[in-house]
Amino acid sequence: MAVTVTIWHNPRCTKSRETLALLEARGIAPEVRLYLKDQPSAEEITEALQLLGQPAIALVRTKEAAFRDLGLTKDAPDATLIAAMAEHPVLIERPVVFANGKAALGRPPEAVLEIL
């Protein structure tokens, strides 16, 4: 049975490109979601965090200007961070790969192999 693999991808990001190339090198043609254009909803981000087994801050790019500009902090409530990521997808750490009812952050890219 073929497994559907999805990647939240930013083609301008080196780690995202490396992760996509790693999947393709293993014969996997993932569904590529350009999350900056096709923004995940708060519900999708919440689900991703549950699959990752991580708090919201683990998926936030805290060095992005938007993080500071929005007045966010590393100890902000998960709901606040999730809403900010849904509204400003540039805050979402990338890439996130989904497969087999699991998710993994491609940092390093090889980390996604654990869920395949």
Side-chain angles (χ1 to χ4, degrees), residues 30-48:
E31 177 184 311
V32 176
R33 181 172 183 177
L34 300 175
Y35 70 92
L36 292 175
K37 293 181 179 144
D38 181 8
Q39 297 176 224
S41 66
E43 292 77 22
E44 289 173 302
I45 293 167
T46 300
E47 184 177 330

Side-chain angles (χ1 to χ4, degrees), residues 30-96:
E31 177 184 311
V32 176
R33 181 172 183 177
L34 300 175
Y35 70 92
L36 292 175
K37 293 181 179 144
D38 181 8
Q39 297 176 224
S41 66
E43 292 77 22
E44 289 173 302
I45 293 167
T46 300
E47 184 177 330
L49 289 165
Q50 289 169 345
L51 293 173
L52 288 165
Q54 296 287 331
I57 192 64
L59 199 55
V60 177
R61 295 177 58 80
T62 58
K63 292 183 173 70
E64 283 292 332
F67 183 79
R68 187 181 55 252
D69 295 347
L70 293 167
L72 298 172
T73 61
K74 291 184 180 184
D75 54 3
D78 279 7
T80 300
L81 295 172
I82 290 166
M85 286 187 277
E87 186 71 25
H88 305 277
V90 69
L91 290 171
I92 300 172
E93 187 59 90
R94 63 209 177 226
V96 183

